[in-house]
């Protein structure tokens, strides 16, 4: 416990990184707050251990670091039960994990990690700095399946068996959370002999340091059964077994006690379950968004006034209420969710205002004909699965005379069309907005080959680009927040994308089975707003 | 209610060599289609993986994407890919599934038994029940029993399978909770008794099998009934009746055999269609199987997996056709002898 | 139209009305989102609303339009292709090979797989869907139509038309189309129904045009939310589209019911097995009524619907006699024979008939004719009388009620076969392995196997060639005399009748010709037949 406090202190004093920023963002979280998890874990006794918790998710592939399915967060989370990272996150933000402490050099380009010393791999071999160095070098050769931008790393070296030094090419604010907090450390003695890691299916492929070992993988249904690691270095694993069941209908399965917890985005389902004695936690901060991406090369949509008119014409509050059923969180024109510490509360917003929308459209020369239709303005919106948002949009835009056609294509065709700029507007939904705000840079600077940003394309806005680089290299929270605030202003004015609404995830669980579910501050790893964070299955002693 | 009599008769009347040509032709055609059709679809495997799911997006760095494309030889020219593919056909090695990162063969093998289980059970059940009711109906023809059976089945044959499944799901699984909502077995059932596991699989089997059975029952009934009525009008049936052997013996000993014979071909051939058609039932009951795998493979543009599945299904259908061609003469003494005669 | 077809048609008409007029009375547009979420049916929203607050009645009626449009369009495309390609393939042997191979490929490939791929490829718009379904579903009926054209081409009238250089189009339109029209009609209805079902299934899988409401999409909307099964909302969200799909597909199935051909001239198969009964002690009355007659007919008439085949008639056949029943084709003699053996539906027969003292129709218990024991019946064509799939032996044993063990049966059967100069080995043969003459004898042996007192033979030799015919007939007469049986021989061959019969009955247009007229008739034809050297030369009434 002392070590835990020491590391917290270290964090506060030494690094001016995200953890601190997170702390200062929520005032209740300074100083004494770091003792909160301590007291919580202090009360946790062996009595709190639970034999089995059943959760639900679809097939996420074989959970080795090279074979899990990168589509959706399931694969990464399944992997995180077996493998550990240098840092991890809990309800307070970034916490030490395999690294018990770290120092950052003055120029903010060198990170020195002190590693835990009594960690063993599942096969009994000791874990050392050699494994960390090996892992990062191995991932350079065989890319890791999930996020984590290795291009920032200049070198990884060990100075002794339990000290690793990372040198990075440029200042990188999200280094602790979005790089070493994501990349799992793999055992050198296993992987050094493997030259086809994707195909590697030996039992050794799942040897990690994590709190669980995989007891059974039901490949045909994509179901997993994890068993607790009795020698876990972080403390006793309270949930002795975790099962991931592939359920077609989460709510019904929960109600029938086939599973013990599950999430939904539909509030009416939550109400139903609450009335049956289930408990619920809401993702906080929301961390997810549904948004329209505008094709900025489209002859009509390249005019920002049209994009603004569309923003005014959409009653996004109503849309959110209809679709999610809960209290609506209207999308921030500057993308960052309003409940995020990075939110700029003075950013320009587009309230629902038909008159304004109509005036702009008229000014742009899209006049209405006798039937109230603006004949010159026929737009298409592309969706990758059945999308209620697109239907609502179609109806709302009809009111201002814009005819909207919905194109429904499958996911791969959707991504291809985005890449080839063969679309007018596209609706996308995604999570991760509660993590490090560096995603704004990744989205609009062509850094991410990702549907939800313009793939491989840079948003040609010089001010924004300059600020994006600047924030990445700024480790001071307040200064960084100011920069990110300005970025939100630009985004809100230019509207390359319009967030329709932020969608909270609701986690419903049976409190009689397991009751220690907690929000992960900023989301697990790079901002996954889910609750099956391994840290909450462990009675953390350090 | 599609009657394929014309077709079977045609295929029967075809000479052996012509049949082989057809099989080889279809196989070659399918193998070509198998390679080119998925590649005609917009977007590739990389697009699917980077597309993420509705639960969330992922960032894939260019390095990761590049590594993936290289790994699956998707950066090679189409012709090189085609050659690799042709080689794969002969070695039965299509490589790793892009989505599952497991050899295609294994991915299919894990799911195939489950589809075979429900399709097999449904085929057996629907065939037996369909033939029995069809026979019964023809026996009571003309009459009220036959007419009402016929109309019921005619209606039933028209209902889309997913609708039957959904109705059963709502009534029996959701409302009455007699059966599980879906899946092939209770996840990680803890029991040392093999019987518990068998019962568990059985319980999960009921609704999908019933749905598939109902979906197929009607058409087999209709075929059997119409064929039985046709046979019933044959002089030898009236003669058998004239022999005073009793209605049961006439129906069992003469009508049944003569009417069921032409159906064998049709039923065997239908199994192939059922295999691919199981996607709807598998979706409704989230049953792990080939149908759903196929749909996912199309969505994911999982070329290697698509190749494997496509080939499996086609070979299966062709094999069934061949089996039908082989067993028909074996069942019919007239053709059997004619063939023997040809050989001498 | 049958009643069921009428019902189908009626349901369909209702839905056509819904599709045409429904949208006119709908108070909301199908996708308008102005209602309460998940509202139960009310005055405002007749079918309630879905989660987005869209009016389900409006979606339902607009959905009817989509569904019927897709069904109609697919049926049109697919049927047109089937018909045109079928005609082409049947008419031109060059095209035939090509079209047939294409059809083969399309039929071997799992169609759902193709549809899934093409639908993902084409993006799932309504018209893409229509073309996909239309282009993939023609082969089945194309081959049926082709087969039927091929057989029609061989028919005289088409050949004649070709001979007179009628142009192909004219021949197709005038001579072929009328014959393949029923096929086309059935194909159209089946395609329609399959398209409706397929559209719903595909929408359910998430493949469909999101801009157009359809029933399948309504269901997909509902089932994509887990709350559907938690609350009562399924009653208004699930039930209407489900019922609509059910009704439309079922109605089309009823409408497309193919005609069951053949009028019903055979009795129901529902008849108990014959039993070996102790000899009946006849009461005085019954003896009086049947007397020494083996066959006794009183006021018997047969009516099919409004067509009278046999007008009321009465006659007796003396026990131990060979009686010939003669008459022209269509005079009702076969019907008469079948009536006497109880092979006609009971409701078509009035009057009374007794064979071997047993009542044929409306008899009870012991007084009913025990087939094959009291009397036996020999059909016209021995080849079609035997079940082609069973060995001769088996067909003997099942009728041999006087014997019990298989060995007894085999011995007795062999014995009776020897009587008709056939080898025992015949028992192990399938019917097609024997010649016509052998089958004729086997049939005779089979008729004798239970030693019935009466034998009815309906043109027993007409399917045989002349020499064999004589042998078989001689054998028949010989055996009948040997066993002291009564034979009723139905024939159109007067010379044959004169040659073998003790007595002759003449039927004309369902009437029994009176004795006086009969004699005149026989006198007129007797010299003719004698001049033609007996019955060997076929002298038919028609000839």
């Amino acid at each position: 416990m002392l070590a835990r406090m020491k590391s917290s202190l270290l964090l506060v004093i030494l690094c001016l990184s995200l953890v601190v920023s997170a702390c200062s963002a929520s005032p209740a979280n300074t100083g004494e707050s770091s003792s909160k998890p301590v007291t919580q874990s202090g009360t946790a006794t062996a009595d709190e251990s639970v034999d089995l918790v059943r959760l639900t998710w679809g097939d996420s592939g074989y959970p080795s670091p090279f074979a899990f399915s990168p589509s959706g967060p399931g694969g990464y989370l399944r992997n995180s039960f077996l493998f550990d990272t240098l840092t991890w996150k809990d309800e307070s933000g970034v916490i030490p994990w395999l690294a018990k402490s770290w120092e950052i050099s003055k120029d903010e380009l060198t990170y020195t990690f002190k590693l835990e010393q009594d960690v063993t791999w599942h096969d009994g071999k000791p874990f050392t700095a050699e494994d960390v160095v090996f892992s990062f070098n191995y991932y350079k050769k065989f890319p890791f399946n999930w996020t984590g931008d290795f291009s920032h790393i200049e070198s990884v070296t060990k100075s002794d068996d339990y000290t690793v030094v990372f040198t990075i090419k440029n200042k990188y604010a999200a280094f602790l959370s979005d790089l070493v907090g994501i990349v799992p450390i793999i055992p050198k003695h296993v992987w050094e002999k493997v030259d086809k890691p994707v195909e590697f299916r030996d039992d050794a492929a799942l040897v990690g340091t994590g709190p669980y070992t995989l007891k059974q993988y039901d490949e045909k249904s994509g179901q997993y059964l994890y068993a607790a690691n009795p020698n876990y270095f972080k403390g006793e694993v309270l949930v002795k077994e975790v099962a991931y069941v592939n359920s077609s209908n989460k709510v019904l399965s929960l109600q029938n006690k086939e599973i013990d917890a599950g999430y939904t985005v539909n509030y009416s389902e939550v109400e139903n379950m609450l009335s049956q004695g289930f408990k619920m936690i809401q993702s906080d901060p929301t961390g997810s968004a549904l948004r329209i991406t505008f094709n900025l090369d489209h002859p009509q949509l390249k005019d920002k006034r049209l994009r603004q008119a569309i923003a005014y014409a959409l009653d996004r509050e109503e849309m959110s209420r209809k679709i999610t059923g809960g209290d609506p969180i209207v999308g921030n024109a500057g993308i960052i969710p309003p409940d995020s510490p990075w939110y700029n509360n003075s950013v320009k917003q587009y309230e629902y205002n038909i008159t304004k929308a109509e005036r702009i459209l008229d000014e742009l020369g899209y006049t209405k004909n006798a039937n109230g239709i603006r004949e010159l303005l026929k737009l298409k919106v592309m969706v990758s699965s059945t999308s209620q948002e697109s239907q609502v949009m179609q109806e709302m835009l009809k009111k201002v005379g814009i005819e909207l056609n919905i194109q429904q294509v499958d996911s791969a065709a959707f991504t291809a069309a985005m890449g080839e700029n063969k679309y007018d507007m596209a609706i996308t939904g995604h999570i991760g907005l509660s993590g490090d705000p560096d995603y704004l840079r990744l989205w609009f600077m062509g850094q991410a080959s990702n549907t939800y940003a313009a793939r491989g394309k840079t948003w040609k806005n010089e001010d924004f680009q300059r600020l994006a680089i600047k924030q990445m290299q700024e480790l001071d929270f307040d200064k960084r927040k100011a920069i990110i605030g300005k970025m939100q202003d630009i985004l809100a004015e230019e509207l390359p994308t319009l967030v329709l609404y932020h969608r909270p995830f609701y986690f419903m669980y049976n409190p009689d089975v397991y009751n220690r579910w907690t929000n992960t501050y900023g989301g697990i790893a790079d901002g996954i707003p889910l609750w099956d964070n391994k840290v909450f299955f462990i009675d953390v002693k350090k | 209610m599609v009657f394929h009599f014309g077709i079977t008769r045609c295929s029967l009347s075809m000479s052996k060599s012509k049949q082989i040509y057809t099989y080889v032709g279809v196989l070659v055609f399918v193998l070509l289609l198998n390679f080119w059709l998925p590649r005609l679809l917009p977007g590739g495997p990389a697009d699917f993986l980077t597309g993420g799911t509705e639960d969330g997006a992922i960032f894939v760095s260019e390095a990761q994407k590049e590594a993936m494309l290289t790994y699956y030889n998707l950066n090679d020219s189409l012709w090189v890919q085609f050659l690799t593919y042709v080689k794969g056909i002969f070695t039965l090695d299509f490589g790793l599934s892009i989505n599952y990162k497991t050899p295609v063969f294994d991915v299919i093998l894990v799911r195939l038994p489950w589809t075979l289980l429900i399709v097999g059970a449904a085929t057996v059940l629907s065939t037996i029940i369909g033939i029995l009711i069809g026979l019964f109906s023809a026996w009571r023809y003309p009459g009220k029993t036959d007419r009402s059976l016929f109309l019921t089945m005619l209606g039933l044959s028209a209902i889309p399978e997913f609708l039957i499944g959904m109705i059963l799901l709502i009534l029996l699984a959701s409302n009455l909770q007699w059966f599980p909502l879906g899946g092939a077995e209770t996840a990680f059932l803890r029991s040392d008794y093999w019987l518990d596991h068998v019962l568990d699989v059985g319980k999960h089997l009921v609704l999908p099998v019933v749905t598939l059975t109902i979906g197929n029952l009607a058409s087999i009934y209709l075929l059997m009934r119409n064929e039985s009525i046709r046979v019933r009008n044959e002089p030898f049936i009236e003669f058998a009746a004239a022999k005073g052997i009793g209605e049961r013996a006439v129906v069992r000993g003469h009508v049944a055999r003569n009417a069921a014979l032409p159906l064998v071909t049709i039923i065997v051939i239908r199994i192939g269609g059922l295999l691919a058609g199981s996607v709807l039932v598998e979706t409704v009951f989230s049953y792990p199987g080939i149908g759903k795998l196929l749909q996912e493979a199309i969505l994911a543009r999982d070329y290697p997996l698509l190749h494997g599945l496509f080939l499996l299904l086609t070979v299966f259908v062709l094999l069934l056709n061949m089996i039908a061609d082989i067993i028909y003469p074996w069942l019919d003494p007239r053709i059997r002898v004619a063939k023997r005669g040809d050989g001498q | 139209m049958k009643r069921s077809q009428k019902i189908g048609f009626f349901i369909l008409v209702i839905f056509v009305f819904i599709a045409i007029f429904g949208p006119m009375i709908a108070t909301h547009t199908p996708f308008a989102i102005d209602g309460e979420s998940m509202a139960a049916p009310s005055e405002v929203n007749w079918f309630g609303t879905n989660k987005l607050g869209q009016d389900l009645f409006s979606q339902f009626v607009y959905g009817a339009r989509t569904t019927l449009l897709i069904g109609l369009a697919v049926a049109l495309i697919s049927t047109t292709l089937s018909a045109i390609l079928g005609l082409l393939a049947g008419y031109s042997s060059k095209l035939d090979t090509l079209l047939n191979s294409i059809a083969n490929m399309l039929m071997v490939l799992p169609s759902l797989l193709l549809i899934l791929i093409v639908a993902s490829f084409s993006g799932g718009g309504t018209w893409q869907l229509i073309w996909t379904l239309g282009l993939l579903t023609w082969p089945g009926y194309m081959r049926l139509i082709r087969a039927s054209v091929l057989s029609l081409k061989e028919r005289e009238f088409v050949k004649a038309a070709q001979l007179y250089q009628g142009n192909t189009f004219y021949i197709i339109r005038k001579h072929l189309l009328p014959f393949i029209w029923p096929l086309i009609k059935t194909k159209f209805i089946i395609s329609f129904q399959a398209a409706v079902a397929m559209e719903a299934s595909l929408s359910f899988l998430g493949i469909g045009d999101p801009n157009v409401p359809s029933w399948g999409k309504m269901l997909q909307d509902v089932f994509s939310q887990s709350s559907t099964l938690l609350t009562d909302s399924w009653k208004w969200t699930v039930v209407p589209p489900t019922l609509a799909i059910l009704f439309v597909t079922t109605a089309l199935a009823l409408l497309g019911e193919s005609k069951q051909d053949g009028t019903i001239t055979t009795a129901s198969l529902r008849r108990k097995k014959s039993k070996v009964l102790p000899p009946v002690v006849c009461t005085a009355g019954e003896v009086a009524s049947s007397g020494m007659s083996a066959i006794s007919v009183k006021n018997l008439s047969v009516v099919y619907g409004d067509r009278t085949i046999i007008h009321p008639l009465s006659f007796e056949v003396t026990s131990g006699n060979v009686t010939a029943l003669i008459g022209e084709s269509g005079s009702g003699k076969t019907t008469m024979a079948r009536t006497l053996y109880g092979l006609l539906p009971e409701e078509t027969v009035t009057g009374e008939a007794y064979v071997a003292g047993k009542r044929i129709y409306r008899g009870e218990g012991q007084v009913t004719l025990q087939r094959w024991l009291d009397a036996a019946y020999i059909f016209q064509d021995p080849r079609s009388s035997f079940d082609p799939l069973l060995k001769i032996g088996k067909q003997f044993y099942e009728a041999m009620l006087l014997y019990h063990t298989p060995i007894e049966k085999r011995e007795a059967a062999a014995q009776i076969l020897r009587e008709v100069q056939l080898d025992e080995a015949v028992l192990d043969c399938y019917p097609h392995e024997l010649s016509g003459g052998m089958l004729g004898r086997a049939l005779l042996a089979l008729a004798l196997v239970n030693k019935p007192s009466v034998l009815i033979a309906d043109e027993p030799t007409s399917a045989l060639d002349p020499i064999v015919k004589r042998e078989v007939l001689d054998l028949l007469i010989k055996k009948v005399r040997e066993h002291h049986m009564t034979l009723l021989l139905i024939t159109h061959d007067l010379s044959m009748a004169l040659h073998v019969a003790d007595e002759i009955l003449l039927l004309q247009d369902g009437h029994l010709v009176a004795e006086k007229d009969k004699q005149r008739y026989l006198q007129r034809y007797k010299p003719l037949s004698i001049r033609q050297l007996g019955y060997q030369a076929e002298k038919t009434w028609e000839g």
Side-chain angles (χ1 to χ4, degrees), chain A residues 156-376:
Chain A
V156 185
T157 51
K158 66 165 193 172
S159 45
D160 64 51
D161 267 1
Y162 294 100
T163 312
V164 185
V165 181
F166 283 74
T167 314
I168 51 177
K169 290 175 185 160
N170 47 275
K171 290 192 218 171
Y172 182 34
F175 179 76
L176 283 175
S177 58
D178 284 12
L179 192 49
V180 295
I182 285 173
V183 179
I185 305 301
I186 53 175
K188 184 185 177 192
H189 63 275
V190 172
W191 294 92
E192 63 186 348
K193 288 164 254 163
V194 179
D195 56 357
K196 282 191 172 167
V198 179
E199 291 169 40
F200 188 51
R201 284 292 184 283
D202 196 89
D203 284 348
L206 300 182
V207 167
T209 56
Y212 286 96
T213 52
L214 188 65
K215 195 171 170 188
Q216 206 182 326
Y217 171 41
D218 174 5
E219 197 187 335
K220 67 173 188 305
S221 313
Q223 309 190 112
Y224 304 77
L225 182 63
Y226 289 95
N229 173 2
N231 308 313
Y232 195 51
F233 74 97
K234 267 285 178 186
E236 193 198 342
V237 182
L238 293 173
V239 180
K240 297 305 172 198
E241 286 191 317
V242 179
Y244 279 93
V245 177
N246 199 344
S247 154
S248 54
N249 190 327
K250 288 176 218 160
V251 182
L252 216 52
S253 299
L254 195 57
Q255 191 182 9
N256 294 356
K257 304 254 167 17
E258 286 168 15
I259 54 171
D260 304 317
Y263 88 92
T264 179
V265 292
N266 186 339
Y267 192 71
S268 60
E269 290 172 6
V270 174
E271 285 175 321
N272 193 315
M273 296 309 284
L274 285 178
S275 69
Q276 299 184 43
F278 291 88
K279 286 199 170 174
M280 182 274 280
I281 0 179
Q282 184 174 342
S283 58
D284 178 33
T286 315
S288 113
L290 261 120
R291 65 183 178 104
I292 314 171
T293 301
F294 295 104
N295 181 353
L296 299 178
D297 293 337
H298 186 272
Q300 290 170 314
L301 285 168
K302 72 180 175 195
D303 189 331
K304 80 174 177 195
R305 285 175 297 170
L306 176 58
R307 305 198 290 271
Q308 289 173 341
I310 290 173
Y312 283 121
L314 295 176
D315 185 353
R316 292 174 286 153
E317 189 177 334
E318 172 77 2
M319 179 188 286
S320 163
R321 188 180 293 116
K322 277 268 164 62
I323 294 170
T324 65
D327 285 332
I329 311 174
V330 174
N332 174 15
I335 298 178
I336 301 223
D339 52 2
S340 161
W342 304 100
Y343 176 64
N344 172 1
N345 54 18
S346 62
V347 77
K348 176 176 183 181
Q349 294 300 352
Y350 297 86
E351 74 286 356
Y352 175 51
N353 190 333
I354 283 203
T355 357
K356 230 173 188 169
E358 302 244 29
R359 203 185 60 224
I360 300 174
L361 290 171
D362 289 338
E363 281 169 14
L364 287 171
Y366 302 117
T367 45
K368 277 188 176 176
N369 68 7
N371 298 324
I373 294 168
R374 300 179 197 274
E375 278 172 347
L376 294 171

Side-chain angles (χ1 to χ4, degrees), chain C residues 144-357:
Chain C
L144 290 182
I145 289 170
R146 166 186 167 273
S148 129
V149 170
L150 281 179
S151 76
L152 283 170
K153 243 167 65 176
E154 298 308 310
R155 300 266 281 271
E156 263 89 39
F157 63 92
V158 176
K159 290 206 153 168
Q162 279 171 325
L163 212 61
Y164 290 113
Q165 264 120 44
N167 73 29
T168 311
F169 179 72
Y170 177 82
I171 294 172
I172 289 177
R173 194 165 51 90
K174 278 284 170 194
H175 296 290
L176 297 182
L177 219 50
F179 284 88
I180 59 169
W181 190 246
L183 270 180
I184 293 178
K185 229 161 59 183
T186 316
K187 159 73 185 162
F188 184 83
I189 292 172
I190 288 177
S191 285
F192 200 126
Q193 175 221 317
V196 170
M198 194 48 110
E199 189 276 330
S201 305
L202 288 177
S203 296
F204 181 72
L205 286 178
I207 299 167
D209 190 341
N211 298 294
V212 183
S214 89
W215 294 333
K217 212 166 131 275
M218 286 169 80
L219 287 175
Q220 197 254 346
D221 264 2
V222 176
F223 277 87
S224 58
Q225 295 151 31
S226 17
S227 54
T228 301
L229 300 176
L230 286 178
T231 59
D232 275 350
S233 63
W234 62 271
K235 284 179 187 155
W236 67 87
T237 50
V238 177
V239 172
T242 306
L243 285 183
I245 296 170
L246 268 175
F247 273 122
V248 169
T249 49
T250 314
L252 282 163
L254 292 181
L255 194 62
E257 183 192 343
S258 52
K259 234 198 284 167
Q260 190 75 47
D261 37 15
T263 43
I264 303 146
T265 56
T266 45
S268 153
L269 287 179
R270 309 194 58 186
R271 193 182 169 93
K272 292 206 179 73
K273 190 174 173 168
S274 297
K275 276 191 208 139
V276 185
L277 301 166
V280 187
V281 183
C282 293
T283 59
E286 273 172 341
V287 174
S289 69
S290 56
M292 285 303 287
S293 314
I295 299 171
S296 159
V297 170
K298 284 174 195 151
N299 284 324
L300 190 78
S301 63
V302 175
V303 182
Y304 291 158
D306 49 4
R307 206 153 59 90
T308 306
I309 310 295
I310 304 226
H311 297 276
L313 50 78
S314 308
F315 65 87
E316 312 262 313
V317 171
T318 319
S319 198
N321 267 4
V322 171
T323 307
L325 178 63
I326 57 171
E328 297 177 42
S329 281
S331 61
K333 57 188 192 304
T334 292
T335 305
M336 188 67 233
R338 288 162 51 83
T339 312
L340 289 178
Y341 200 67
L343 294 175
L344 254 50
E346 203 167 87
E347 62 274 11
T348 59
V349 182
T350 47
E352 289 170 29
Y354 295 86
V355 171

Side-chain angles (χ1 to χ4, degrees), chain B residues 84-85 87-96 103:
Chain B
T84 324
Y85 160 74
K87 215 175 84 194
I89 293 173
F90 289 102
T91 54
L92 278 184
D93 175 17
F94 295 100
L96 288 197

Side-chain angles (χ1 to χ4, degrees), chain A residues 17-76:
Chain A
S17 75
L18 188 121
V19 179
V20 185
S21 55
C23 289
S24 50
S26 37
N29 245 2
T30 46
E32 63 279 297
S33 86
S34 56
S35 66
K36 203 175 84 195
V38 178
T39 48
Q40 194 181 26
S41 52
T43 57
T45 59
D47 296 352
E48 273 193 53
S49 74
V50 171
D51 286 340
L52 172 69
V53 169
R54 293 162 305 170
L55 300 167
T56 179
W57 200 273
D59 191 3
S60 309
Y62 186 73
S64 94
F66 300 93
F68 70 75
S69 163
S71 124
Y76 179 76

Side-chain angles (χ1 to χ4, degrees), chain A residues 52 57 59 61-62 66-73 143-149 196 198-199 201 215-225 241 243-245 247-250 252-253 256 258 263 385 410-413 415-416 429-431 439 442-443 446-452 455-456 503 505 526, chain B residues 41-68 71-72 96-103 106-108 110-111 114 169 173-174 177 179-190 283-289 292 296 298-301:
Chain A
L52 172 69
W57 200 273
D59 191 3
Y62 186 73
F66 300 93
F68 70 75
S69 163
S71 124
F144 176 52
N145 230 351
W146 191 244
T147 61
D149 189 351
K196 282 191 172 167
V198 179
E199 291 169 40
R201 284 292 184 283
K215 195 171 170 188
Q216 206 182 326
Y217 171 41
D218 174 5
E219 197 187 335
K220 67 173 188 305
S221 313
Q223 309 190 112
Y224 304 77
L225 182 63
E241 286 191 317
Y244 279 93
V245 177
S247 154
S248 54
N249 190 327
K250 288 176 218 160
L252 216 52
S253 299
N256 294 356
E258 286 168 15
Y263 88 92
S385 57
D410 70 10
S411 173
T415 317
H430 47 146
I431 57 173
Y439 61 79
L442 295 169
W443 282 6
Q447 289 294 306
S449 166
N450 183 316
T451 308
Y452 302 144
R455 182 180 85 170
R503 179 169 65 177
F505 284 29
D526 54 347
Chain B
L41 292 171
D47 293 317
F48 172 76
L49 286 182
T50 56
T53 66
E54 59 180 299
D55 293 315
I58 50 158
F59 293 103
V60 173
S61 67
E62 283 303 321
Q64 281 166 301
K65 203 186 135 199
E66 204 53 40
M68 197 188 91
Y71 189 84
Y72 291 105
L96 288 197
S97 148
I98 297 174
N99 201 21
Y100 292 94
K101 301 197 174 64
T102 310
D106 295 345
V107 176
I108 296 177
V110 167
R111 289 161 180 83
W114 297 95
L169 188 74
S174 172
Q177 303 197 359
F179 297 101
L181 287 167
E185 54 190 343
T186 304
F188 315 116
L189 182 69
R190 278 147 214 267
T283 305
V284 172
F285 296 105
S286 18
Y287 205 86
K292 250 177 91 179
E296 282 165 14
I298 293 173
L299 277 182
R301 310 287 189 270

